[in-house]
Amino acid sequence: MFSALQILTAVAVASINIVHGDNVGWVDYLGDNNQEFHDISLEWKEGSKVPNWLYGTYVRNGPGQHSFGSDRRQMNNWLDGFAKLHSFKFIGEKVLFSGKMLESNNYMASVKKGELVPQLTLNAFVDKEHDWNILEEGQIMAGMMEGTAFDNFNPMVWRFGEKDVEKGMYMAVTDSPSALRFNISDLSTMGLYLPKRIPFPTTGCAHPLREPGTDNTLWFMTKIDMLTGNKLVEIQRYKPSDSFDAPEVIASFEPAKTSIVHSFSVTEDYFILFMYPLDADPLEIMAKKFHIMEAISWKDNTDTDVYVINRNDGSVQHLTTQPMYSLHHANAYQINKDELVVDLCEKNPNALRDYLTVDKIFNPPETTDWKTVKSDEFSRWNINLVNSTVTKSLFVDSINNSFVNMLDFPVINENYRGKPYCYLYGNSLIDYTRTAIVKKDLCKEGGDKVWYRENHYVSETWFFPTPGESLPEDDGVLFTLVFDGELKQSYIMLMDAVTLESIAVSYLPVNIPWSAHGYLFPEAQF
Ligand SMILES: [Fe+2]
């Protein structure tokens, strides 16, 4: 499925494997797989201890297909791969496994043509000579105006609408103001949903959240008033009865600057938005031939804007703090009305453009120094609304393990969303291929735990709380997908969330390539 360049890099990695016994199967993990299959009953490995209280449908989203046959317009960013959904229907100890490509218009047109059709992409193509011509650029521009120039929503899934298999709007989402609906039962694509076009929506957010204590969705969009040129941030609440294009607007304000923002936090009363000194200007995106990440720019010595929006009255407080960048908020909570805590997974801002380019991801370093990357360290931000201060602190590595303080893909017990919490689960990645699952104890030193296997490539987890009242926060089971590089095969794993020990494994009949995020829909029981 890959170009000659990628096959060559694959061979290079294979020879590295022989010398170092490292990165085994990594390139296989990156292989495309657009195979469609439905409700395959999985078998747990002998000795697995599977709780009988697992219910609902977990859906994972990620790139499944990068090539359509043509040598032209080969993608240069792994995340430009077209979205494939995988679902796991939990029925007690039984699990049904399905997979299907999301059939967006741009995907289907590219399949039909055998080559990527004109659309927005993240990065420029492997061969710059293959870029869009002037006519195709006009097509993309028209698509941007009508909201169809980008429909490859591959990182995340969410339910808008009612908590009901038939009425719920199960959506693939990304940092776009639109969403692509799918059927939670068979993963078939149900069409693109657009927000209202006035004011003109420019970006959305890949990580909506539930409003604590409700089934509402909290989300935000950036918009532009085409008459005045003013940029707006719109903080939105979708009640289950709201249609996709008519949310309640909690607050609307003009930001000090626009920014690439991928997630936000909620607390009992507040919606918290960090707007970093990293942006991709729309005019620059056009100048870079509609490749978004080629247009990003980091503004040195420019503060991060922090907006704290009171969801009860819509008031907005603007604070500032040091320049920094984070893709994923982990969680936030209120110490009291005026003092808030926000936990962020920080990232080197250049990683957005460079980390997942094919030359890098297909050629991971042969050796590693196992050091925590300072720019990627997990951090805590204390906000004082009276003093208007936002101050950063770091966590101690009290178990002497490089993985524990650079976790990303943060996951918590969702019953603690927006509330004081102690346990955070995540993936920690060193030099691409040294991947670990981490349990971070935020309340006491020495409580961190790490699960690591050489040449096993982990991905995001999901926390299933044990049913019952007044149980400890970490009483539950973690679910995750792993790729076994030695066997070149994907497997699912359940872990004891207290000890981080593996308790159940099932190897999958179809491999799942490197994927992004997933979500459990407990109401989707079959
Ligand atoms: Fe994300």
Side-chain angles (χ1 to χ4, degrees):
M1 303 298 283
F2 286 92
S3 66
L5 167 72
Q6 288 161 320
I7 291 165
L8 282 172
T9 57
V11 171
V13 172
S15 63
I16 289 165
N17 292 342
I18 294 164
V19 176
H20 297 279
D22 207 353
N23 302 331
V24 175
W26 175 252
V27 170
D28 299 275
Y29 182 36
L30 303 176
D32 278 11
N33 191 324
N34 62 4
Q35 194 179 337
E36 178 178 343
F37 53 95
H38 293 279
D39 293 332
I40 299 173
S41 187
L42 299 179
E43 283 190 23
W44 293 105
K45 200 172 164 185
E46 201 177 331
S48 291
K49 294 173 195 155
V50 185
N52 61 8
W53 46 262
L54 301 177
Y55 284 95
T57 300
Y58 174 89
V59 182
R60 172 66 66 86
N61 198 348
Q65 185 172 342
H66 295 75
S67 174
F68 297 95
S70 170
D71 283 339
R72 280 170 24 103
R73 293 172 178 167
Q74 291 287 330
M75 299 167 182
N76 196 23
N77 186 315
W78 178 254
L79 274 182
D80 270 322
F82 273 85
K84 186 178 186 187
L85 300 180
H86 289 93
S87 73
F88 297 87
K89 293 171 180 160
F90 289 94
I91 311 159
E93 295 172 29
K94 188 175 170 185
V95 187
L96 301 177
F97 174 41
S98 303
K100 185 170 171 52
M101 295 296 295
L102 266 176
E103 295 180 340
S104 70
N105 287 344
N106 286 327
Y107 172 73
M108 295 307 283
S110 300
V111 169
K112 190 175 175 192
K113 190 179 180 189
E115 181 176 293
L116 201 68
V117 299
Q119 60 194 280
L120 283 165
T121 70
L122 298 181
N123 283 51
F125 304 125
V126 171
D127 187 339
K128 302 277 191 299
E129 299 284 306
H130 295 167
D131 224 320
W132 313 120
N133 62 38
I134 190 83
L135 193 65
E136 291 166 327
E137 288 187 48
Q139 283 178 258
I140 299 172
M141 192 65 218
M144 284 174 75
M145 295 312 291
E146 64 181 21
T148 57
F150 187 82
D151 62 10
N152 182 19
F153 299 164
N154 64 15
M156 183 52 173
V157 289
W158 190 256
R159 173 179 54 78
F160 295 83
E162 293 181 36
K163 195 186 277 186
D164 180 278
V165 168
E166 299 298 328
K167 296 177 188 163
M169 292 184 285
Y170 297 90
M171 302 284 206
V173 289
T174 185
D175 296 332
S176 159
S178 310
L180 194 64
R181 187 172 178 181
F182 63 92
N183 181 308
I184 186 72
S185 176
D186 64 10
L187 304 180
S188 58
T189 303
M190 299 171 72
L192 186 68
Y193 280 55
L194 300 174
K196 286 201 168 69
R197 311 308 291 161
I198 299 174
F200 186 76
T202 47
T203 64
C205 174
H207 292 279
L209 290 174
R210 293 274 167 235
E211 185 161 26
T214 77
D215 194 35
N216 298 337
T217 292
L218 294 174
W219 212 24
F220 80 93
M221 281 177 199
T222 54
K223 297 190 168 186
I224 185 163
D225 184 324
M226 289 301 207
L227 292 176
T228 62
N230 289 348
K231 290 168 179 168
L232 299 170
V233 173
E234 205 171 271
I235 308 296
Q236 303 169 336
R237 174 188 286 122
Y238 289 78
K239 293 190 282 299
S241 56
D242 288 339
S243 63
F244 183 78
D245 65 353
E248 176 190 346
V249 177
I250 298 172
S252 181
F253 59 92
E254 199 170 330
K257 61 176 175 297
T258 51
S259 171
I260 296 176
V261 181
H262 184 67
S263 65
F264 59 89
S265 285
V266 295
T267 67
E268 203 176 323
D269 295 301
Y270 300 108
F271 184 115
I272 304 167
L273 198 58
F274 278 57
M275 298 188 77
Y276 318 98
L278 183 78
D279 197 15
D281 182 79
L283 292 175
E284 188 64 15
I285 292 173
M286 288 181 221
K288 296 290 184 183
K289 299 184 85 67
F290 300 94
H291 306 300
I292 302 164
M293 294 307 170
E294 308 294 345
I296 63 170
S297 64
W298 172 257
K299 299 181 185 72
D300 268 333
N301 307 315
T302 303
D303 282 344
T304 299
D305 294 299
V306 179
Y307 293 95
V308 180
I309 300 100
N310 186 323
R311 298 200 309 277
N312 305 311
D313 61 14
S315 59
V316 179
Q317 187 161 345
H318 178 202
L319 306 94
T320 57
T321 190
Q322 65 198 69
M324 51 86 63
Y325 188 70
S326 162
L327 273 172
H328 297 122
H329 286 231
N331 197 14
Y333 60 89
Q334 295 170 215
I335 298 170
N336 55 49
K337 273 276 189 190
D338 299 322
E339 292 178 90
L340 318 179
V341 171
V342 184
D343 289 337
L344 300 178
C345 304
E346 287 195 53
K347 269 279 167 288
N348 180 336
N350 293 324
L352 217 54
R353 182 186 55 230
D354 301 334
Y355 185 78
L356 290 175
T357 55
V358 295
D359 56 333
K360 292 191 170 64
I361 193 171
F362 276 84
N363 294 284
E366 300 171 28
T367 57
T368 183
D369 58 10
W370 297 99
K371 281 188 182 152
T372 300
V373 179
K374 286 289 164 195
S375 62
D376 292 0
E377 221 166 339
F378 178 73
S379 54
R380 172 155 286 183
W381 299 76
N382 284 81
I383 299 176
N384 188 309
L385 296 175
V386 174
N387 301 335
S388 293
T389 54
V390 184
T391 50
K392 172 181 175 175
S393 58
L394 294 171
F395 289 86
V396 173
D397 171 13
S398 60
I399 65 166
N400 193 27
N401 185 302
S402 303
F403 285 119
V404 298
N405 282 340
M406 52 181 291
L407 82 176
D408 204 335
F409 295 88
V411 166
I412 61 168
N413 179 340
E414 284 295 327
N415 295 326
Y416 289 75
R417 177 66 60 192
K419 299 174 185 170
Y421 73 121
C422 282
Y423 300 111
L424 177 66
Y425 306 90
N427 297 159
S428 190
L429 318 174
I430 296 179
D431 289 336
Y432 293 89
T433 60
R434 287 75 177 182
T435 69
I437 294 170
V438 172
K439 178 184 182 183
K440 182 86 196 149
D441 189 331
L442 304 167
C443 293
K444 67 175 189 298
E445 285 185 20
D448 300 337
K449 297 191 184 325
V450 176
W451 186 94
Y452 176 78
R453 298 284 180 282
E454 186 78 8
N455 300 322
H456 285 227
Y457 308 118
V458 306
S459 63
E460 191 173 78
T461 56
W462 180 262
F463 181 89
F464 285 87
T466 305
E469 300 291 322
S470 306
L471 295 171
E473 179 187 333
D474 59 345
D475 193 324
V477 165
L478 280 184
F479 166 75
T480 192
L481 314 177
V482 190
F483 187 81
D484 179 336
E486 311 275 355
L487 294 179
K488 300 181 173 33
Q489 194 175 357
S490 299
Y491 63 91
I492 57 172
M493 177 165 66
L494 299 175
M495 310 174 85
D496 181 330
V498 175
T499 63
L500 217 59
E501 288 169 1
S502 171
I503 57 170
V505 161
S506 175
Y507 276 78
L508 302 179
V510 182
N511 282 343
I512 299 178
W514 187 105
S515 58
H517 303 291
Y519 205 80
L520 179 83
F521 302 101
E523 73 281 3
Q525 296 183 20
F526 297 97

